[in-house]
Amino acid sequence: MVERDDPEVIGRRVQRLRIEQGLTQRQLAEPAYTPAYISTLEAGRVRASDEALRHIAERLGVAYEELVTGRPAHLATDVRLRLTDAQRTLATGETEAAAKQYGELREEAATLGLLPEEAAALLGLGECGVETGDLGAAQEYFELAERCLADGPLTGRVPALRGRAVAHYLAGELRYSVYLLESTIDELNRSGLHDPDALLPLYASSIAPYMDMGAQARAAQAAELALALAPQVSDPALIARMHRQVARTMLAEGRYAEADASLAKASELYRQLQIRTELANCHWMRGYLYAQQGELARAEGELREAQAMLSAKRAALYSSQVAVELADVLHRRGKSEEAAALLHDVLGDFSSERGAMHSAAAHRLLGIIAEDARDTEKAEEHYVRALSVLERAGAAGDLADLCRLLGDLLRRTGRVEAALDAYRTGLGHRTAPGTTTLGPAPAQPPL
């Protein structure tokens, strides 16, 4: 939506352009309006309709956007074209280059007063922050984008809200992440805004925090809803590239409205490419469910599919998280050496502020593998490191399980008092009130 100037400013602009072209008020008005209406408009005493301004712009031989904003139409279209270029850059994994593009576009859009384009650039910077693990900056960019879009519909703010939730989740703030996602889903569905493009990424992004909070049933439900809403796109990258080239041609020919239409299609397709990350989470969830049911071959297949969709270049942190789940399945299938190698490969991608839960899971599994190999010293080291991470994250259910593993290890090695301390710690976390309890599930869309 174009932000129009005040009626007085538009009126003076219409008068200046009319005089420059040697037109009378009657000539400008005919055949749809009267000279008196044009006089009132030029004096700034009426807020003209979009229809009237489009008529006047056509008579004056200028673009509607230029008439109502004072900016040549090609400037805004050029910014949108370069935004799709930045989307393409990010979608292909060149995060640093994309961040540079988005940063320049943010400044340019702000200077030109292009609020939606500024919000799009901020969203892009937030996505770059998530990709690189700069979660504090990502949260800030998403919040700024949400403010830019505050006066628009909720569906338009969903990418910013979802981005904030993902950044908070990756920073270990599970409850706040779930709150943001569920409250947005609930508001969309209760308001009748059943937009699959808005709901799909919200449901898919909720899977990981649900799992970490021990809400497996709700995670499974979210995964199935996301897959049911998923759009079917044969080759979005190819089609998006075509639309970008068409837009460039039209822009060079001065066909700005048609160029904008092609850019909108390209932008949507690049967004769908990014949804592949969300859909990968659904394969991840299915793999987890199959693993829980003991169907390990199917679980391995789903998790490998998720990893393929989350190529390390495109989404390194998510790919590393899936690798931990895959390693667990490989270990249970008797492929412990492959599992351990996979875990050691990805441990460097995690920290206490970035993927903490999966860092703990990796150390836990390495501890189990070490125990199986009768290396109790190495097993204890991994359990203690996992315990430290989980205590900071406040993951009660996982803490209780880990304390049991550590206690059993200590008891088998003759350290009974230390084992009792570990068991007591685990019981305290297991019985902590409200640690995994969620409120009512959000309203569902009609499928």
Side-chain angles (χ1 to χ4, degrees):
M1 181 178 176
V2 177
E3 292 288 331
R4 291 166 45 168
D5 287 336
D6 292 335
E8 294 86 352
V9 176
I10 293 175
R12 289 195 297 272
R13 189 175 298 130
V14 168
Q15 184 180 53
R16 175 178 57 79
L17 291 169
R18 177 180 63 78
I19 292 172
E20 285 176 359
Q21 297 187 32
L23 296 175
T24 66
Q25 289 180 337
R26 182 178 297 279
Q27 288 171 322
L28 184 58
E30 292 176 343
Y33 300 93
T34 65
Y37 178 76
I38 298 299
S39 176
T40 305
L41 187 153
E42 289 184 348
R45 294 197 298 270
V46 63
R47 181 175 176 79
S49 66
D50 284 345
E51 182 182 3
L53 289 171
R54 290 187 188 281
H55 164 82
I56 292 168
E58 184 178 353
R59 298 287 286 172
L60 292 169
V62 299
Y64 164 79
E65 189 169 315
E66 184 173 353
L67 182 66
V68 300
T69 66
R71 295 187 302 268
H74 69 85
L75 292 179
T77 304
D78 180 63
V79 170
R80 293 177 198 126
L81 175 62
R82 285 185 288 132
L83 277 168
T84 63
D85 287 343
Q87 282 181 291
R88 181 203 60 78
T89 304
L90 179 58
T92 54
E94 300 172 46
T95 309
E96 290 184 9
K100 182 179 179 182
Q101 289 174 282
Y102 280 126
E104 292 170 354
L105 286 163
R106 176 196 177 185
E107 292 182 9
E108 190 170 339
T111 300
L112 293 171
L114 300 172
L115 202 59
E117 287 72 21
E118 183 183 356
L122 286 164
L123 283 170
L125 287 167
E127 292 292 347
C128 291
V130 168
E131 292 290 337
T132 59
D134 190 354
L135 302 177
Q139 290 169 14
E140 184 178 347
Y141 286 131
F142 287 131
E143 287 172 7
L144 289 170
E146 193 178 349
R147 286 179 212 160
C148 283
L149 301 167
D151 294 332
L154 177 59
T155 49
R157 300 198 305 276
V158 162
L161 286 161
R162 175 254 171 207
R164 285 177 58 203
V166 169
H168 282 288
Y169 161 67
L170 293 174
E173 300 163 23
L174 309 184
R175 251 175 208 290
Y176 188 58
S177 174
V178 167
Y179 162 75
L180 285 172
L181 293 165
E182 287 195 341
S183 59
T184 307
I185 290 170
D186 209 33
E187 189 174 348
L188 284 169
N189 286 327
R190 292 191 187 282
S191 303
L193 301 172
H194 307 300
D195 181 354
D197 288 337
L199 288 168
L200 187 152
L202 292 171
Y203 280 122
S205 297
S206 67
I207 293 169
Y210 280 152
M211 293 298 297
D212 289 348
M213 293 178 71
Q216 284 86 354
R218 198 169 288 188
Q221 181 186 52
E224 292 309 315
L225 286 168
L227 289 168
L229 291 165
Q232 301 299 312
V233 179
S234 57
D235 189 356
L238 182 63
I239 300 169
R241 190 158 56 246
M242 178 270 293
H243 280 300
R244 283 176 58 245
Q245 295 306 321
V246 168
R248 287 186 187 280
T249 303
M250 291 176 172
L251 184 58
E253 296 173 355
R255 296 157 62 189
Y256 304 123
E258 293 168 89
D260 274 345
S262 278
L263 288 175
K265 292 174 184 175
S267 179
E268 171 62 16
L269 288 163
Y270 282 123
R271 191 193 62 76
Q272 288 172 349
L273 278 174
Q274 290 180 314
I275 283 179
R276 285 179 62 81
T277 299
E278 308 299 344
L279 293 178
N281 285 341
C282 300
H283 286 287
W284 177 1
M285 180 65 217
R286 278 183 168 170
Y288 174 86
L289 286 177
Y290 287 141
Q292 294 299 302
Q293 295 163 5
E295 299 180 55
L296 300 181
R298 295 180 73 182
E300 182 177 341
E302 290 287 347
L303 292 169
R304 289 196 187 279
E305 174 68 16
Q307 263 210 314
M309 294 175 76
L310 292 168
S311 63
K313 187 177 180 183
R314 170 65 185 92
L317 181 56
Y318 291 132
S319 181
S320 299
Q321 291 173 324
V322 173
V324 175
E325 303 284 354
L326 177 58
D328 180 53
V329 171
L330 291 172
H331 168 64
R332 291 166 63 185
R333 298 196 72 190
K335 305 175 185 178
S336 296
E337 287 187 13
E338 184 182 353
L342 189 58
L343 292 170
H344 284 298
D345 283 344
V346 301
L347 265 176
D349 294 330
F350 302 125
S351 70
S352 58
E353 292 82 28
R354 187 173 184 264
M357 299 299 296
H358 283 80
S359 173
H363 282 297
R364 174 188 178 279
L365 184 52
L366 284 168
I368 291 172
I369 292 171
E371 270 205 86
D372 291 345
R374 291 181 165 72
D375 188 345
T376 55
E377 184 177 342
K378 183 64 70 175
E380 183 178 348
E381 178 187 335
H382 282 299
Y383 288 152
V384 170
R385 291 182 70 177
L387 195 63
S388 173
V389 173
L390 290 174
E391 283 178 334
R392 286 196 295 271
D398 289 341
L399 269 167
D401 174 66
L402 190 62
C403 287
R404 177 188 60 79
L405 287 171
L406 179 59
D408 289 349
L409 174 66
L410 293 169
R411 180 171 52 81
R412 282 194 296 272
T413 55
R415 287 170 285 173
V416 178
E417 284 301 319
L420 287 172
D421 285 341
Y423 291 141
R424 290 189 194 102
T425 301
L427 285 171
H429 286 295
R430 175 63 76 185
T431 57
T435 49
T436 59
T437 303
L438 293 167
Q444 291 187 25
L447 296 175

